[in-house]
Amino acid sequence: MKKKTATLVIAYLSCAVVILGAATLVQHGRTERYRRALQANYQHAFSELVTGMGALDTALQKSVYAASPAMAGPLCTEVFGKAQVCQMALGVLPFSTQELEQTSGFISRVGDYASVLSRSAAAGTGLDEQQVKNLKSLASTAGLLAENLRALQQELSDGYLTMDEAAAGERRLRNVAASVADSSGTGTLGGSMKLVEQEFPEIPSLIYDGPFSEHLTNAAPKLIENDPDVSEADARQLAARFLGVQPDTLTMTARSEGQLPCWWFSAPDGKDTMSLALTVAGGQPLNLLSSRQPAASALSAEDATGIAKRFLSSRGYRNMRETYHMTQGNIVTVNFAAEQDGVLCYSDLIKVGVACDTGAICSFEARGYINSHTARDLPEPSVTADEARTQVTQDLEILSEQLTLIPTAGQDERLCWEFKCRTDDERHVLVYVNAVTGQQEKILLLLEDENGTLTL
């Protein structure tokens, strides 16, 4: 009996080993097929990048010779499209954006700059001397980058380079020396791309109205631009006054650096805590957040808006007007914008969150206000509201109008007539008409439901 049992155990174990081995082979086959598919995908993406960069170079070279807005517009739009293709291809490759920061940044900047020039051309403005000079420099950089990429593609085709896999690629990119040549004498694409990054040509400084413009890199927050730094002790007093608590109940948790260096304090909020950040320069409240989650909703959005408005007024924020609100998790977050001489300044944004169970302030965010708020020299509108109305399509019913200052992508501002309109199917649309040029500047869709309003 014991011998029979042992024989059965051995048989079962043998079957298990066979099954396990078969499963391992199947899994290995699947893994190998997946690896090959991934490699093919990477190679296709790199081929798209090489082709796209060549097309971007060509489009940039053509744009230099555009002598009229009618020609500059389509050519700059073509440049933007080619840059988008390159950016998408780069995103598929197994290299992080940080590792290829120069290449990715160059493509983004070219696309954004071309988009701005295209919009200017649509408004009837041709390329000036500086813009043509910028395009020539960008074309030169794109040409050199395209040439380097084509050389890498040829080395990849000849077998001198291998395509990195996702995990291995990032690992090798951290060590260029190890990437360029291994023991077999075959380098990796990631290592070669890293060398291209290190030898990246100088990119021209671009000053324009877009998010990648050079003037945004060192932009100072306007509200506190000339304010002196406050000490930890002074910041504690300011934080206590803002929260309405005693200074000795606060704990200083950190001093952060970056574009807006801040003092961070925490305060007890019943069983929960509140965290408040004040700018080191000027001691302005930047961010407040409570860890408490309201359990019920006893206040209406209108009641919460009134509480938020009174809170701002009591903290010294004058001439703030509520614009939109959103309710989520029993918290009503109200957006406020500053008003100057009857003009609503949307850049000067403050968000205040009100707990719907107790009416307590549970969040506050004033980055937009700190970055943008200042006494502005507002231009006189050369276009009347009635004249601006003619720029709104007759398919929309105009409900109200308001003179506003709206931000652009490059942190510039445009004085506009804002028209709130209604569509045939009862949706709402905001149409902005430039109060100086009389041209449409922006169109936003309003998504409205029982929770509040979003703009798209």
Side-chain angles (χ1 to χ4, degrees):
M1 181 63 71
K2 290 182 180 180
K3 182 180 291 187
K4 183 177 181 180
T5 301
T7 302
L8 289 174
V9 169
I10 292 173
Y12 287 144
L13 288 175
S14 299
C15 289
V17 169
V18 171
I19 293 172
L20 182 60
T24 301
L25 288 175
V26 170
Q27 184 61 38
H28 177 74
R30 290 176 178 172
T31 302
E32 182 62 21
R33 286 195 298 272
Y34 174 76
R35 190 191 68 80
R36 289 176 180 174
L38 199 61
Q39 293 292 304
N41 189 39
Y42 292 154
Q43 289 180 0
H44 177 73
F46 185 67
S47 177
E48 288 289 314
L49 176 62
V50 174
T51 303
M53 188 57 64
L56 179 61
D57 173 32
T58 300
L60 281 167
Q61 290 186 53
K62 290 190 295 183
S63 68
V64 169
Y65 306 109
S68 67
M71 181 57 68
L75 286 176
C76 289
T77 300
E78 182 182 352
V79 171
F80 173 77
K82 301 305 182 185
Q84 292 296 102
V85 170
C86 291
Q87 198 68 274
M88 287 188 289
L90 193 64
V92 176
L93 293 173
F95 319 126
S96 69
T97 303
Q98 291 77 14
E99 297 290 355
L100 299 182
E101 182 179 1
Q102 298 265 40
T103 304
S104 178
F106 171 74
I107 295 171
S108 297
R109 189 174 300 179
V110 169
D112 186 61
Y113 189 55
S115 176
V116 170
L117 295 184
S118 178
R119 291 197 298 270
S120 296
T125 304
L127 301 176
D128 61 30
E129 184 179 349
Q130 182 59 51
Q131 289 167 341
V132 171
K133 183 178 179 181
N134 289 340
L135 287 171
K136 286 182 179 179
S137 184
L138 292 174
S140 176
T141 302
L144 181 58
L145 186 56
E147 182 180 345
N148 289 338
L149 290 175
R150 283 192 292 269
L152 292 182
Q153 186 181 41
Q154 186 61 50
E155 292 185 17
L156 191 66
S157 176
D158 293 341
Y160 294 114
L161 291 178
T162 60
M163 177 66 70
D164 301 19
E165 295 184 23
E170 292 206 18
R171 199 163 53 241
R172 292 181 182 124
L173 280 171
R174 297 190 188 100
N175 189 339
V176 179
S179 300
V180 176
D182 59 19
S183 58
S184 64
T186 303
T188 64
L189 180 63
S192 296
M193 288 289 287
K194 185 66 176 179
L195 289 178
V196 170
E197 282 280 295
Q198 291 180 343
E199 299 172 359
F200 208 90
E202 184 178 353
I203 301 174
S205 295
L206 304 178
I207 306 298
Y208 64 103
D209 186 24
F212 295 97
S213 177
E214 292 292 324
H215 78 283
L216 299 180
T217 305
N218 300 312
K222 293 179 180 178
L223 181 66
I224 58 175
E225 186 173 5
N226 299 313
D227 289 351
D229 290 354
V230 298
S231 64
E232 178 187 338
D234 289 340
R236 180 184 297 273
Q237 295 292 330
L238 293 169
R241 194 179 309 158
F242 185 79
L243 294 174
V245 299
Q246 293 299 315
D248 57 6
T249 63
L250 299 178
T251 302
M252 199 282 285
T253 57
R255 171 175 165 152
S256 62
E257 299 302 327
Q259 187 179 13
L260 277 177
C262 287
W263 293 107
W264 287 83
F265 295 92
S266 65
D269 184 23
K271 295 181 180 179
D272 302 284
T273 58
M274 299 190 76
S275 178
L276 173 64
L278 286 87
T279 60
V280 173
Q284 289 289 334
L286 171 67
N287 186 280
L288 167 69
L289 188 63
S290 173
S291 63
R292 190 177 75 87
Q293 181 62 45
S297 181
L299 296 175
S300 66
E302 290 73 21
D303 292 337
T305 299
I307 292 172
K309 192 169 185 177
R310 290 191 292 274
F311 173 80
L312 284 183
S313 179
S314 68
R315 266 56 178 182
Y317 295 95
R318 311 298 182 191
N319 301 320
M320 301 297 296
R321 193 201 303 180
E322 66 275 16
T323 54
Y324 304 104
H325 73 270
M326 178 59 63
T327 303
Q328 190 173 25
N330 296 321
I331 296 175
V332 176
T333 301
V334 188
N335 289 359
F336 292 87
E339 190 174 24
Q340 178 182 328
D341 300 331
V343 178
L344 198 60
C345 305
Y346 278 117
S347 299
D348 299 4
L349 176 65
I350 294 179
K351 299 179 182 181
V352 181
V354 179
C356 291
D357 53 355
T358 65
I361 302 299
C362 57
S363 67
F364 174 90
E365 200 272 313
R367 184 175 293 273
Y369 186 85
I370 291 173
N371 282 334
S372 304
H373 185 63
T374 186
R376 295 168 170 85
D377 184 14
L378 296 173
E380 284 293 328
S382 54
V383 177
T384 67
D386 288 339
E387 291 170 336
R389 281 172 172 262
T390 63
Q391 296 298 311
V392 179
T393 174
Q394 294 182 353
D395 293 334
L396 295 173
E397 177 189 359
I398 298 176
L399 303 178
S400 63
E401 60 195 44
Q402 162 73 47
L403 201 56
T404 64
L405 204 61
I406 64 172
T408 66
Q411 291 187 354
D412 197 359
E413 293 178 320
R414 300 280 190 272
L415 184 67
C416 293
W417 288 103
E418 176 191 80
F419 295 101
K420 185 174 183 179
C421 307
R422 181 164 53 205
T423 65
D424 291 338
D425 56 357
E426 299 299 316
R427 293 181 300 158
H428 288 144
V429 178
L430 295 179
V431 178
Y432 294 89
V433 178
N434 193 303
V436 177
T437 66
Q439 301 297 315
Q440 280 192 1
E441 192 73 37
K442 183 181 290 189
I443 296 174
L444 295 176
L445 304 180
L446 297 183
L447 298 183
E448 301 167 299
D449 58 22
E450 65 279 5
N451 294 321
T453 304
L454 289 174
T455 57
L456 293 177

